[in-house]
Amino acid sequence: MIYLDHNATTPLDPRVLEVMLPLLREAWGNPSSPYRFGSQAKAAVQQARKRIADRLACRPADLLFCASGTEADNLALRGVASALRSKGSHIVTSAIEHHAVLNTCKALERNGFRVTYVPVNADGVVDFTQLAASICDETLLVSVMHANNETGVVQPVEEIATLARRRGIVFHTDAVQSTGKLSQGLAALGADLVSFSAHKLYGPKGAAALYVRPGTPLEPVTTGGAQEHGLRAGTENVAAIVGFAEAMAIAFEEVDGEGQRQRELRDRLEREVTAAVRGVRLNGARAPRVPNTSSLSFQDIDGESVVVGLDARGICVSTGSACSTGEPEPSHVLRAMGLSSQQAQSSIRISLGRQTREQDIDCAVRALTEVVGRLRQISSVRGRFE
Ligand code: PLP
């Protein structure tokens, strides 16, 4: 199998598994229990929190652990909306956010909030001028992602953070797809709230974090115990949190070398595919991107059929975001960039990872050339009989 869908999820790094095993086998206590067996688990969580905080250059107390990037996004948006309801009812986000943010905004709209979905340009970059113009006295929150999961395009979050701070508005960014792919730390993002997810950086599923700048108004979304400063009730997933810290440490150590290596492989893939196949469009390729992601559209071909054809050859890629699989709608991200519904439906996402080697890229280029060639042949034969 050649796995080229690392933006959907990454394999667990064996070094991460190693640090998790003792917590699953032996030190499996509840961190809230009063005896030593519980304190051991609590200490493991606190040590993991400190390790991640050191990497991100924030205070351990500024990090809340939760179960997924989706949950971190929900906590950020719903938590601020609920805390600031008396201040205003307007939220600004972008048209290309992950469904974890978009569908949360839709839910907030049903609860009386007004949401502006700022458009992007043809390269997939959020229109800063329109974003600035959409802010009003009623605006309580701006949420714009750091790197897009489908195109890899990096958004101008520092500029947006500066604007939000000047206007006294809380700013959240979803850094689920940029963490471990870009070396920027938290300070560079300038956000009040930042979402992270372990399984996108070779950590386990079931662990994620929300950074909360001290003083940011936030109300809990789940009610229950007093875990995570009362902001995220529920027994901590100790082994996964410890694995998350190890994964984060490795990601920061390897980010520069891996970034350079994957960028070269990704660029080679794009060069070779565009040379071998006619009618290929590279989405977002003129904008700054995370180094591992490529979004390609193949004229007159159904992206889903390309994914199936590659799967038959042992190659895993996706059509846009994994969460939209099974949805008949074409990618909202590509549509927002101005692609027609048909163009968006003719697209695939290839995302490289630590295990990707040159021979995988060569194999993927050969397979893509064959699959697209065959699909075009079939559609031209079908066209002749229709
Ligand atoms: N945000 C972005 C940008 C993502 O790509 C994803 C997952 O694809 C999520 C949030 C959701 O993260 P999780 O799978 O941990 O819920």
Side-chain angles (χ1 to χ4, degrees):
M1 180 181 80
I2 297 176
Y3 185 77
L4 295 174
D5 198 17
H6 292 83
N7 286 10
T9 195
T10 54
L12 190 67
D13 189 300
R15 293 167 286 184
V16 173
L17 177 63
E18 228 25 67
V19 302
M20 290 172 67
L21 284 175
L23 294 140
L24 292 164
R25 286 199 179 118
E26 295 121 31
W28 41 261
N30 186 327
S32 302
S33 297
Y35 36 82
R36 207 176 325 146
F37 191 48
S39 328
Q40 273 173 6
K42 186 173 179 171
V45 171
Q46 296 306 47
Q47 199 194 342
R49 199 188 308 275
K50 174 152 180 10
R51 282 189 84 192
I52 297 179
D54 287 348
R55 291 286 158 187
L56 297 174
C58 66
R59 299 177 328 160
D62 304 341
L63 292 172
L64 293 182
F65 287 124
C66 56
S68 65
T70 301
E71 193 191 339
D73 286 343
N74 267 266
L75 178 54
L77 271 69
R78 291 175 192 267
V80 171
S82 163
L84 293 180
R85 190 158 208 149
S86 59
K87 183 195 167 221
S89 60
H90 181 230
I91 294 167
V92 175
T93 189
S94 84
I96 57 158
E97 297 298 309
H98 188 270
H99 283 117
V101 167
L102 280 185
N103 286 342
T104 304
C105 285
K106 298 260 159 65
L108 288 168
E109 281 184 290
R110 290 193 291 277
N111 280 320
F113 289 90
R114 188 167 65 81
V115 182
T116 302
Y117 300 90
V118 178
V120 294
N121 65 17
D123 297 323
V125 181
V126 168
D127 187 325
F128 182 77
T129 313
Q130 289 210 40
L131 184 140
S134 71
I135 291 177
C136 63
D137 292 344
E138 280 278 293
T139 311
L140 51 94
L141 173 70
V142 175
S143 176
V144 174
M145 71 199 322
H146 191 201
N148 182 266
N149 43 301
E150 294 189 35
T151 59
V153 171
V154 178
Q155 305 302 323
V157 289
E158 294 164 60
E159 250 179 296
I160 299 170
T162 307
L163 172 73
R165 197 172 322 120
R166 242 196 355 253
R167 302 287 303 263
I169 298 165
V170 177
F171 175 53
H172 164 251
T173 190
D174 174 335
V176 165
Q177 287 292 350
S178 57
T179 312
K181 295 175 187 151
L182 299 174
S183 51
Q184 271 155 303
L186 259 185
L189 298 178
D192 301 303
L193 299 152
V194 186
S195 306
F196 304 96
S197 179
H199 78 98
K200 306 286 188 185
L201 41 100
Y202 306 86
K205 292 163 187 68
L210 181 68
Y211 160 77
V212 186
R213 186 188 294 280
T216 307
L218 194 71
E219 271 182 18
V221 168
T222 42
T223 43
Q227 292 95 343
E228 303 297 300
H229 317 296
L231 282 164
R232 199 278 183 171
T235 302
E236 299 87 341
N237 188 348
V238 182
I241 287 170
V242 168
F244 183 15
E246 182 69 13
M248 189 77 107
I250 296 170
F252 270 83
E253 271 155 34
E254 300 189 350
V255 68
D256 292 332
E258 268 303 306
Q260 182 60 22
R261 196 186 70 80
Q262 290 180 31
R263 176 174 287 109
E264 281 166 21
L265 288 178
R266 191 264 317 267
D267 292 352
R268 173 185 171 141
L269 169 100
E270 293 184 344
R271 251 190 339 265
E272 294 190 357
V273 171
T274 43
V277 184
R278 73 175 160 79
V280 180
R281 179 195 162 110
L282 302 175
N283 302 308
R286 284 175 306 187
R289 285 184 293 170
V290 287
N292 79 320
T293 309
S294 184
S295 166
L296 307 110
S297 306
F298 298 92
Q299 197 185 336
D300 303 329
I301 297 285
D302 175 33
E304 196 73 47
S305 306
V306 178
V307 171
V308 172
L310 290 179
D311 185 28
R313 288 164 172 77
I315 301 173
C316 307
V317 302
S318 85
T319 54
S321 76
C323 310
S324 68
T325 304
E327 278 182 22
E329 289 294 301
S331 149
H332 66 284
V333 176
L334 299 177
R335 292 286 284 128
M337 289 165 70
L339 273 72
S340 67
S341 176
Q342 201 182 16
Q343 282 174 319
Q345 225 129 19
S346 73
S347 308
I348 63 165
R349 175 187 71 186
I350 298 181
S351 48
L352 282 52
R354 281 186 200 151
Q355 276 91 9
T356 312
R357 298 287 171 264
E358 251 173 53
Q359 55 268 35
D360 302 324
I361 297 301
D362 294 344
C363 198
V365 172
R366 267 199 309 276
L368 255 177
T369 312
E370 274 169 35
V371 168
V372 173
R374 263 183 75 92
L375 289 169
R376 284 193 173 143
Q377 223 171 21
I378 294 167
S379 69
S380 82
V381 170
R382 197 179 289 145
R384 263 185 269 143
F385 287 96
E386 272 168 6

